[in-house]
Amino acid sequence: MHKTDDVVLSIKDLSKQFGNGCDYCKDDSAELQKNMCPHCNTVHAVKNVSFDLYEGEILGVVGESGSGKSTLMKMLYFDQEASTGTYVLPEDPNAEDNVFLVSSQRKRQIRNEQLGMVYQNPMLGLKMDFSSVTNIAEKLIASGNRNVGQMTDRADHFLNKVNIPLRRKYEAPKNFSGGMQQRVQIAKALSNYPPILLLDEVTTGLDLSVQADVLELIKEIQRDMGVSMIVVSHDLAIIRMLCDRTMVMLDGQVIEHGITDQILEDPQHEYTQQLVYSIL
Amino acid sequence: MICIKDFSKSFTIHHLDQTRTAIEGVSFDVKKGEFLGIVGESGSGKSTILKSIYGTYKPSSGTVTYDSKAFGEVDLHGITDRALISLRTNEIGYVSQFLKVMPRTTTLELVINSMLEMGVDKEAAETEAKEALRHFDIPEALWHNYPNTFSGGEKLRLNIACAIVKKPRLLLLDEPTASLDEKSKLKVRETISKLIDGGTTLIGIFHDLEFMDGLCTKVYDMNTKTIEERAV
């Protein structure tokens, strides 16, 4: 896939706080205990994060547990409301100034047409009691599809792509292994050809060989379909394998960003150095 | 083509509260079609220079200017990450001593993928990839194996093949002959000659001083920080 310099997703000064905040922590230079205000106990889960995602690239987000990675992803997928910030999808035909501010109906439309999300926990992305085909059809119906034959074909195509045997397509994911569930989730997220895919710790907890399958699949999707992706992981080996560029988060803020080999081989920030020295 | 000016690089290691200087005050330039060899003992900063040109390391001071096809003359450390990534994909190649592989990617796929990145179509990529593998004596029986089953020499040759199929304008070679036998070295030599004839600019690190004879047009010595012209 030829890479162009088109921004497909742009985030500016995105913040998420849990709590009302006080005069002390409203000041950007205020010193917090990790990400919590010592006066009002407000948690600043994500603080002033800005970045662009370009067409066809994979952007990595690394950081320890509690650094705000998942909160960031949830806001991008409208699972969680942002406190402040702007979110622009320039390639969308409507391209509003800030999609955080649009109606919930419009947000649903963006979710169904522009974005795909794969959660660490397949329970969040799949209806475990419904068949794999139904799960995929649900996403397709949400994005306006009504033709049953077409939807079944699409489901077959993507289940095939993620190596789920088609004879098991009418089985519910609750019968599947963790790795298979994850692959059904990826098939579902891809089924309406979203230009942007959000992947939150998708290989965590999978055994090495299944992990390799999933990584291979992600690379293939990037190459063959030109999908742009944001990959959240605490595993630097995975980041190295997949990502063109990487951001490092700590206590809700982006402390360092750059081309992935720059981050891994010449880390500048103390925390990034610690992280890199911890690679097995 | 490439101009390095007053280049210094030091690494700050926060947890030891330490700063180590790897190289200091390096300046040289390489013209289009030249082949610069860098010599010096281990730890003298040879690889640091290559990685700084490739953009992996950020300079502590000094500049690396590159005359690119896509953007004209640029400071490699002053352009955006995206621009640098695009230069790496389309113009600047790097052969390291180590092979980086994706899990479950076969040898043939690895070479093909490095071309697909550039936007070459699948069929052409496959044809050229096969040709490159044949050229570097990687037997057809191994094409569908995973490269991590390869010997050191095979890995190195594969590494070079991956870089060369992309026909880079500037190729950086970090000890490309380190673990090769005489026959493979000859192959590499032959390939480098061809690249030079084709107008590629090269910068390489070699321990093998003999190998450089008759190939390098210039040699930079890390110890004396001087450059010496060589007759080819």
Side-chain angles (χ1 to χ4, degrees):
Chain A
M1 188 55 51
H2 205 76
K3 287 177 182 170
T4 55
D5 264 314
D6 300 325
V7 174
V8 292
L9 183 156
S10 178
I11 289 291
K12 283 223 164 54
D13 298 322
L14 175 60
S15 296
K16 173 71 185 175
Q17 63 184 56
F18 296 97
N20 295 325
C22 60
D23 288 340
Y24 177 78
C25 64
K26 272 178 188 145
D27 181 2
D28 273 341
S29 57
E31 224 168 275
L32 306 177
Q33 288 169 341
K34 289 203 72 100
N35 56 9
M36 194 199 269
C37 171
H39 295 281
C40 64
N41 291 344
T42 295
V43 172
H44 297 266
V46 171
K47 215 176 160 190
N48 295 331
V49 169
S50 300
F51 65 90
D52 288 328
L53 175 71
Y54 294 90
E55 189 177 337
E57 81 165 341
I58 304 186
L59 175 68
V61 183
V62 287
E64 60 190 9
S65 306
S67 59
K69 310 185 296 287
S70 290
T71 307
L72 172 68
M73 293 295 258
K74 283 179 186 156
M75 288 191 284
L76 296 182
Y77 199 60
F78 307 116
D79 279 339
Q80 209 150 54
E81 232 168 277
S83 302
T84 54
T86 49
Y87 179 3
V88 184
L89 296 163
E91 297 287 298
D92 184 273
N94 291 14
E96 291 97 340
D97 294 338
N98 185 359
V99 294
F100 282 134
L101 303 176
V102 299
S103 68
S104 55
Q105 188 192 1
R106 170 75 182 124
K107 279 182 184 161
R108 263 200 307 279
Q109 187 191 10
I110 291 171
R111 239 168 101 129
N112 291 326
E113 291 174 6
Q114 299 293 322
L115 305 171
M117 173 79 153
V118 181
Y119 299 91
Q120 176 178 355
N121 184 348
M123 303 264 276
L124 294 173
L126 294 174
K127 298 233 162 30
M128 284 298 179
D129 295 327
F130 295 160
S131 74
S132 305
V133 172
T134 312
N135 263 291
I136 292 173
E138 188 205 1
K139 175 101 181 169
L140 293 173
I141 290 168
S143 56
N145 236 302
R146 292 293 178 268
N147 183 323
V148 175
Q150 238 175 37
M151 287 193 282
T152 319
D153 287 349
R154 188 83 69 85
D156 285 0
H157 173 76
F158 280 101
L159 288 173
N160 206 11
K161 201 169 180 68
V162 299
N163 289 321
I164 298 289
L166 289 184
R167 61 191 154 76
R168 299 191 69 179
K169 68 179 177 180
Y170 292 117
E171 243 177 276
K174 68 175 176 194
N175 296 347
F176 290 173
S177 71
M180 284 173 82
Q181 289 174 352
Q182 206 57 298
R183 281 179 284 150
V184 175
Q185 217 199 153
I186 295 176
K188 180 178 180 177
L190 283 173
S191 60
N192 57 341
Y193 295 101
I196 300 165
L197 194 57
L198 308 170
L199 304 165
D200 191 359
E201 301 271 13
V202 283
T203 58
T204 308
L206 302 181
D207 74 61
L208 277 180
S209 90
V210 179
Q211 183 172 309
D213 283 340
V214 174
L215 292 180
E216 192 188 352
L217 177 66
I218 294 171
K219 261 296 190 202
E220 193 186 304
I221 292 164
Q222 179 201 26
R223 214 173 36 234
D224 299 347
M225 299 169 62
V227 178
S228 313
M229 297 184 228
I230 301 180
V231 171
V232 162
S233 180
H234 63 267
D235 186 340
L236 287 172
I238 285 170
I239 295 288
R240 167 160 46 198
M241 208 83 77
L242 290 178
C243 302
D244 303 298
R245 294 188 303 130
T246 298
M247 315 197 283
V248 184
M249 287 187 75
L250 179 67
D251 298 339
Q253 305 191 51
V254 174
I255 53 163
E256 193 166 349
H257 64 92
I259 302 176
T260 303
D261 64 317
Q262 293 173 339
I263 299 287
L264 294 178
E265 293 191 45
D266 192 13
Q268 307 289 318
H269 193 280
E270 184 171 0
Y271 172 71
T272 316
Q273 290 189 354
Q274 264 179 36
L275 209 62
V276 170
Y277 300 148
S278 315
I279 301 179
L280 292 179
Chain B
M1 174 79 103
I2 196 128
C3 177
I4 295 187
K5 223 173 161 202
D6 299 324
F7 192 89
S8 301
K9 174 67 189 167
S10 41
F11 296 92
T12 303
I13 301 150
H14 290 286
H15 77 284
L16 297 175
D17 212 0
Q18 206 180 64
T19 298
R20 289 184 56 186
T21 303
I23 45 175
E24 232 179 340
V26 171
S27 299
F28 59 75
D29 59 272
V30 184
K31 294 188 187 66
K32 191 169 172 11
E34 283 188 324
F35 183 4
L36 174 80
I38 301 177
V39 295
E41 46 207 70
S42 302
S44 60
K46 304 188 293 295
S47 295
T48 303
I49 292 189
L50 280 201
K51 285 189 176 178
S52 303
I53 296 173
Y54 196 59
T56 302
Y57 292 164
K58 298 175 189 95
S60 306
S61 66
T63 53
V64 181
T65 321
Y66 166 68
D67 191 9
S68 72
K69 199 174 166 192
F71 315 109
E73 198 171 275
V74 289
D75 175 356
L76 285 178
H77 299 280
I79 54 176
T80 62
D81 291 344
R82 289 290 292 172
L84 185 55
I85 290 174
S86 134
L87 287 180
R88 286 177 176 189
T89 310
N90 299 303
E91 298 189 22
I92 305 178
Y94 179 77
V95 178
S96 79
Q97 293 156 269
F98 310 101
L99 181 70
K100 280 179 208 148
V101 291
M102 274 291 287
R104 305 277 177 84
T105 303
T106 68
T107 304
L108 183 60
E109 282 166 354
L110 191 73
V111 186
I112 292 176
N113 288 350
S114 74
M115 293 173 79
L116 290 182
E117 274 179 18
M118 300 176 69
V120 179
D121 77 63
K122 242 178 175 156
E123 256 172 61
E126 190 167 336
T127 315
E128 283 194 51
K130 286 180 175 167
E131 204 174 295
L133 288 171
R134 260 185 224 114
H135 176 78
F136 283 105
D137 286 331
I138 295 174
E140 219 167 316
L142 293 180
W143 291 1
H144 298 286
N145 282 23
Y146 302 129
N148 48 8
T149 61
F150 279 21
S151 74
E154 284 164 345
K155 277 184 188 167
L156 202 56
R157 279 180 284 155
L158 176 58
N159 231 350
I160 298 174
C162 279
I164 280 170
V165 287
K166 298 171 81 171
K167 302 190 182 67
R169 293 178 82 225
L170 171 67
L171 185 61
L172 310 171
L173 302 162
D174 193 347
E175 303 224 26
T177 56
S179 51
L180 296 184
D181 58 25
E182 286 307 317
K183 192 177 153 222
S184 307
K185 271 190 200 170
L186 272 178
K187 281 273 173 195
V188 174
R189 202 185 160 95
E190 206 178 283
T191 309
I192 291 178
S193 287
K194 252 194 221 161
L195 285 174
I196 296 173
D197 291 343
T200 302
T201 309
L202 290 113
I203 302 177
I205 297 175
F206 299 95
H207 264 303
D208 188 349
L209 298 178
E210 256 171 58
F211 185 84
M212 297 163 62
D213 277 343
L215 273 182
C216 292
T217 49
K218 276 177 172 180
V219 172
Y220 184 82
D221 188 331
M222 292 300 294
N223 299 333
T224 57
K225 297 210 169 75
T226 52
I227 204 156
E228 180 196 330
E229 304 274 344
R230 290 265 178 106
V232 180

